[in-house]
C-alpha cells in the first residue's frame, strides 16, 4: 500500500517543479501558490510512505497531518484567488492564510498524540491520534480552501465552455479536471481521518494525477 503515497509524492514533486519553473519564467502569483501547495502534497505523501514503510513516529505523523490534512488545500485556493479574483482580495486572503497556517502549525506541533494509535502498518486515523482541537482546524480550514478551489474551477470551466473558441473549450476541460482532482483528494483525506488508509493512498495518487493533467492542459501548446 505504501507504493500509492510514494507515487503520489513523485507526481506532486514533478508537478510542483513544473509550476515553479513556470513561475520563474513568467512570475505569476497563482503559479507560485500552486507550486507551494503541490510541494506540500509531496511532503505529506512522502511522510505517509515513510510511516508505512519504516513505522510511524510523532514527527512523521505531524508532518503528514499538517501538510496533508490542513495546509495544502488552502494554499492551493490562494492560487485560484490570484487567478480569478482581484489582486487586492487575493493579497488579503494571503495574509489570512499565513496567520491561520501559523496557528494550525502551532496547534498540530504542540498537540499530544496517542502513541499507541501510531502502531500500524497503514495510515493512522487522525481521529485516534489527534485531540479534537487540531482535527477541528483540519476540518474547517481545509474545507474552506476546498470550496474555493472547486468552486473557482467549476465557475471558470462553465464560463469558458460557453465560448466558441477551441482553446477556451480546452481550458474549460482543464478546469473541470482540476476541480475533479481536488474533489478526489479532499474526499480521500476525509477517509484518512477515519483510518481508511488504502482509500486515502489510492485517492491521493489519482486526485493529484488528475489535477496534474488539468494543469498541463492549461499550458500553451507549442508548435
Amino acid at each position: 500500500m505504501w507504493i500509492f503515497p510514494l507515487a503520489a509524492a513523485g507526481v506532486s514533486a514533478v508537478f510542483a517543479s513544473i509550476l515553479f519553473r513556470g513561475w520563474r519564467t513568467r512570475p505569476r502569483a497563482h503559479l507560485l501558490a500552486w507550486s507551494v501547495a503541490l510541494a506540500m502534497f509531496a511532503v505529506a505523501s512522502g511522510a505517509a510512505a515513510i510511516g508505512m514503510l519504516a513505522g510511524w513516529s510523532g514527527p512523521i505523523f505531524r508532518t503528514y497531518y499538517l501538510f496533508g490534512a490542513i495546509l495544502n488545500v488552502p494554499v492551493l485556493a490562494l492560487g485560484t484567488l490570484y487567478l480569478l479574483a482581484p489582486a487586492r482580495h487575493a493579497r488579503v486572503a494571503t495574509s489570512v492564510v499565513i496567520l491561520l497556517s501559523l496557528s494550525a502549525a502551532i496547534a498540530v506541533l504542540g498537540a499530544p498524540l496517542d502513541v499507541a494509535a501510531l502502531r500500524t502498518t497503514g495510515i493512522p486515523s487522525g481521529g485516534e491520534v489527534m485531540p479534537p482541537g487540531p482535527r477541528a482546524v483540519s476540518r474547517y480550514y481545509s474545507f474552506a480552501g476546498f470550496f474555493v478551489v472547486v468552486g473557482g474551477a467549476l465557475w471558470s470551466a462553465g464560463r469558458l465552455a460557453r465560448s466558441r473558441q477551441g482553446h477556451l473549450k480546452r481550458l474549460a476541460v482543464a478546469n473541470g479536471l482540476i476541480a475533479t482532482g481536488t474533489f478526489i483528494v479532499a474526499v480521500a483525506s476525509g477517509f484518512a481521518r477515519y483510518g481508511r488508509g488504502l482509500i486515502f493512498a489510492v485517492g491521493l495518487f489519482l486526485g493529484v494525477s488528475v489535477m496534474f493533467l488539468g494543469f498541463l492542459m492549461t499550458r500553451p501548446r507549442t508548435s
Side-chain angles (χ1 to χ4, degrees):
M1 188 168 62
W2 56 267
I3 191 66
F4 292 106
L6 185 62
V11 172
S12 300
V14 172
F15 192 177
S17 175
I18 291 173
L19 290 171
F20 184 74
R21 288 200 302 269
W23 173 75
R24 291 285 301 272
T25 303
R26 296 181 59 198
R28 298 290 187 273
H30 68 279
L31 293 177
L32 180 60
W34 285 339
S35 68
V36 171
L38 267 295
M40 290 179 176
F41 276 116
V43 170
S45 302
I50 292 172
M52 296 169 76
L53 277 171
W56 289 90
S57 65
I60 292 175
F61 183 81
R62 292 181 200 274
T63 299
Y64 154 74
Y65 199 80
L66 181 62
F67 289 102
I70 298 180
L71 299 184
N72 49 8
V73 175
V75 175
L76 196 66
L78 283 181
T80 298
L81 290 176
Y82 273 108
L83 186 64
L84 300 177
R88 64 182 183 277
H89 294 167
R91 287 193 291 268
V92 171
T94 299
S95 299
V96 172
V97 167
I98 290 173
L99 290 175
L100 291 178
S101 296
L102 289 174
S103 299
I106 292 171
V108 170
L109 296 177
L113 303 182
D114 185 342
V115 179
L118 294 176
R119 300 190 186 103
T120 176
T121 56
I123 297 179
S125 168
E128 296 177 358
V129 178
M130 281 284 181
R135 297 204 313 270
V137 172
S138 168
R139 185 180 304 112
Y140 296 115
Y141 189 38
S142 60
F143 278 7
F146 163 74
F147 285 120
V148 170
V149 174
V150 174
L154 291 177
W155 176 82
S156 180
R159 186 183 63 173
L160 293 171
R162 291 192 292 269
S163 173
R164 296 181 180 274
Q165 301 181 46
H167 74 283
L168 292 181
K169 288 185 177 296
R170 182 168 175 268
L171 288 177
V173 174
N175 277 274
L177 288 173
I178 293 169
T180 301
T182 305
F183 180 78
I184 293 172
V185 168
V187 171
S189 297
F191 279 103
R193 293 189 183 95
Y194 299 101
R196 305 291 184 177
L198 179 59
I199 297 176
F200 167 77
V202 175
L204 185 63
F205 172 68
L206 291 177
V208 171
S209 298
V210 171
M211 289 166 59
F212 192 9
L213 178 59
F215 278 112
L216 288 178
M217 290 183 66
T218 66
R219 303 177 75 193
R221 288 178 172 175
T222 56
S223 56

